């Protein structure tokens, strides 16, 4: 069995206290600096994340083409990525438009239909009708409203473009993301080597140990969990389409997105139950039949995820606890917004690894 050796506690000398205070002040100053520069750093961090996610595909293309240089594999990877996104949009957007139009009709029918579901109080329907603006939801889901929003966005964009440069600079900053991605992907290996060479020789052993912890956590979370969440979203969508649940594909993909934090998909259960009620009112399907069919989809997909996908993709090492993941996303997101969500897991892993290595000084036997 693994055991930890905990060395004697180091006394708190004046020099050590000063170093601790200096470290804390440095961390606080760094957080404020990131908050001040997040508008500039966000495109770069997004590009780094995209390049990191696509790196396995680049390596696969290098192996497939037999090329040692990265230019052609990177070009192939970008082409494959854009082609996949284009196919997804071509297939998904028409389906989404038809589903929202159908959902508009279903919601209006539910608002005017009195239904009785065994073992469920009618007060629940009254609560839903009183607290959910059905007309507003129907309006938002209608195709005419979508076209109106697009026209307003385009109109306001041209008006703003003619009156200032802020939007132009904002658009350019996100166009720079594409350039960042290309440059980072082309020199990915050289950039990683440069970071390693920046570390002084006497600190490399412990620094590389901390970096290894971060790399393992990043591989498990960003790459492994992204693949799992994508597959889970597709499986949920297929299951909901088979049982005939309204907005099944949209709900399935939404559950897959929630699955980026393990087990967070459970918060989608109330939404699924409401869709089952709406489906019952509109089509006359027995509520308990479609509800338990939906629960069966949850159970089957969860079993596939826990028994096959997670062990196969993530391996035995499961990484951070889901509660720690959710807490770190909440804290860093509150501090730095969207940029905080990107750096939440690396920074949390860095802090934990730093605490284990330098503060507690645990060594594994």
């Amino acid at each position: 069995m693994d055991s930890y050796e905990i060395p004697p506690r180091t006394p708190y000398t004046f020099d050590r206290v000063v170093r601790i205070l200096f470290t804390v002040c440095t961390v606080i100053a760094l957080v404020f600096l990131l908050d001040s520069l997040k508008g500039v750093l966000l495109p770069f961090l997004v590009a780094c994340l995209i390049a990191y996610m696509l790196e396995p595909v680049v390596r696969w293309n290098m192996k497939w083409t037999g090329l040692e240089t990265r230019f052609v594999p990177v070009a192939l990877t970008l082409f494959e990525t854009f082609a996949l996104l284009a196919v997804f949009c071509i297939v998904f957007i028409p389906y989404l438009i038809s589903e929202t139009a159908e959902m508009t009709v279903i919601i209006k029918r539910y608002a005017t239909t009195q239904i009785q579901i065994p073992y469920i109080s009618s007060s629940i329907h009254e609560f839903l009708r009183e607290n959910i603006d059905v007309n507003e939801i129907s309006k938002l889901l209608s195709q005419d409203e979508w076209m109106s929003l697009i026209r307003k966005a385009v109109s306001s964009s041209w008006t703003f473009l003619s009156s200032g440069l802020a939007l132009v600079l904002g658009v350019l900053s996100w166009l720079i993301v594409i350039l960042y991605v290309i440059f980072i992907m082309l020199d990915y290996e050289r950039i990683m080597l440069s970071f390693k060479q920046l570390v002084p020789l006497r600190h490399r052993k412990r620094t590389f140990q901390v970096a290894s912890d971060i790399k393992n956590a990043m591989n498990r979370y960003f790459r492994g969990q992204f693949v799992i969440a994508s597959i889970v979203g597709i499986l949920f969508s297929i299951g909901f389409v088979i049982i005939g649940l309204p907005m099944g594909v949209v709900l399935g993909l939404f559950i897959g997105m929630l699955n980026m934090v393990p087990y967070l998909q459970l918060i989608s259960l109330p939404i699924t139950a409401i869709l089952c009620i709406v489906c019952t009112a509109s089509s006359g399907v027995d509520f308990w039949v479609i509800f338990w069919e939906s629960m069966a989809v949850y159970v089957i997909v969860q079993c596939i995820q826990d028994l096959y996908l997670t062990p196969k993709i993530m391996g035995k090492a499961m990484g951070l606890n889901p509660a720690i993941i959710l807490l770190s996303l909440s804290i860093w997101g509150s501090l730095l917004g969207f940029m905080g969500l990107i750096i939440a897991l690396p920074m949390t892993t860095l802090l934990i690894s730093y605490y284990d290595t330098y503060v507690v000084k645990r060594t594994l036997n």
Side-chain angles (χ1 to χ4, degrees):
M1 180 181 293
D2 294 334
S3 61
Y4 290 101
E5 286 185 358
I6 302 179
R9 189 179 295 274
T10 306
Y12 284 92
T13 62
F14 177 77
D15 179 65
R16 189 182 180 204
V17 171
V18 169
R19 281 187 292 166
I20 292 174
L21 292 176
F22 178 76
T23 302
V24 172
C25 293
T26 302
V27 171
I28 294 174
L30 182 61
V31 171
F32 277 103
L33 181 63
L34 289 175
D35 184 60
S36 302
L37 298 176
K38 61 184 179 182
V40 178
L41 292 177
L42 182 57
F44 178 74
L45 290 175
V46 171
C48 289
L49 180 59
I50 294 173
Y52 176 80
M53 297 287 289
L54 294 178
E55 179 60 18
V57 184
V58 175
R59 292 185 178 274
W60 183 85
N61 282 327
M62 290 178 68
K63 182 178 179 181
W64 173 65
T65 57
L67 297 173
E68 295 183 359
T69 57
R70 295 176 61 89
F71 180 80
V72 174
V74 167
L76 280 174
T77 301
L78 293 174
F79 174 78
E80 292 161 358
T81 302
F82 284 117
L84 187 62
L85 289 174
V87 170
F88 176 80
C89 292
I90 291 172
V91 173
F92 181 71
I93 290 179
Y95 171 82
L96 180 61
I97 293 174
S98 63
E99 279 289 292
T100 51
E102 183 180 349
M103 194 64 186
T104 303
V105 177
I106 292 175
I107 290 176
K108 289 180 178 179
R109 193 179 302 165
Y110 170 72
T112 57
T113 303
Q114 297 294 329
I115 61 172
Q116 296 293 330
I117 300 177
Y119 311 111
I120 294 183
S121 173
S122 58
S123 60
I124 295 179
H125 306 295
E126 296 299 327
F127 175 82
L128 292 176
R129 291 190 177 97
E130 291 175 1
N131 292 275
I132 297 177
D133 192 340
V134 175
N135 293 326
E136 186 66 24
I137 294 176
S138 301
K139 183 180 177 182
L140 289 174
L141 291 175
S142 65
Q143 187 174 352
D144 292 338
E145 182 67 17
W146 282 27
M147 297 304 296
S148 176
L149 289 174
I150 293 173
R151 284 194 295 268
K152 288 180 181 179
V154 173
S155 175
S156 60
S157 299
W158 280 110
T159 302
F160 195 80
L161 278 171
S162 62
S163 61
L165 295 175
L167 184 60
V168 177
L169 295 176
V171 172
L172 286 177
S173 67
W174 285 106
L175 290 177
I176 290 174
V177 171
I178 301 176
L179 295 178
Y180 277 145
V181 170
I182 295 173
F183 294 145
I184 293 172
M185 290 174 69
L186 287 174
D187 289 331
Y188 188 87
E189 295 176 344
R190 191 182 305 172
I191 292 172
M192 293 297 104
L193 181 60
S194 299
F195 281 135
K196 291 181 180 180
Q197 292 175 343
L198 289 175
V199 181
L201 287 174
R202 61 194 181 102
H203 295 300
R204 284 189 179 181
K205 183 177 180 181
R206 286 189 173 182
T207 302
F208 289 169
Q209 181 181 349
V210 173
S212 177
D213 293 339
I214 297 174
K215 179 182 177 182
N216 292 335
M218 291 276 287
N219 286 341
R220 285 193 294 267
Y221 182 75
F222 283 111
R223 287 179 180 165
Q225 196 62 34
F226 176 78
V227 173
I228 291 175
S230 300
I231 297 174
V232 166
I234 294 172
L235 292 176
F236 268 108
S237 299
I238 293 172
F240 289 147
V241 168
I242 291 174
I243 66 175
L245 187 69
M247 300 289 289
V249 173
V250 178
L251 178 62
L253 296 178
F254 173 69
I255 294 174
M257 183 179 65
L258 292 177
N259 201 262
M260 282 298 293
V261 178
Y263 303 105
L264 190 62
Q265 70 267 28
L266 295 177
I267 68 173
S268 65
L269 288 172
I271 301 175
T272 305
I274 292 175
L275 288 176
C276 290
I277 293 175
V278 173
C279 181
T280 300
S282 62
S283 61
V285 178
D286 185 86
F287 169 80
W288 291 111
V289 171
I290 193 167
F291 176 78
W292 289 118
E293 287 177 345
S294 301
M295 294 304 101
V297 172
Y298 273 89
V299 172
I300 293 172
V301 175
Q302 193 65 49
C303 288
I304 294 174
Q305 178 181 351
D306 291 340
L307 299 178
Y308 181 77
L309 293 177
T310 300
K312 190 76 172 178
I313 297 173
M314 303 283 261
K316 295 181 180 179
M318 297 304 296
L320 295 176
N321 183 278
I324 300 299
I325 294 176
L326 188 58
L327 178 62
S328 65
L329 291 173
S330 302
I331 292 175
W332 287 100
S334 299
L335 289 174
L336 299 173
F338 186 71
M339 188 177 74
L341 297 178
I342 296 176
I343 66 173
L345 268 296
M347 293 303 296
T348 302
T349 306
L350 173 63
L351 292 175
I352 294 174
S353 183
Y354 180 88
Y355 183 83
D356 284 345
T357 304
Y358 293 97
V359 180
V360 182
K361 296 182 179 178
R362 286 190 289 194
T363 56
L364 186 64
N365 287 336

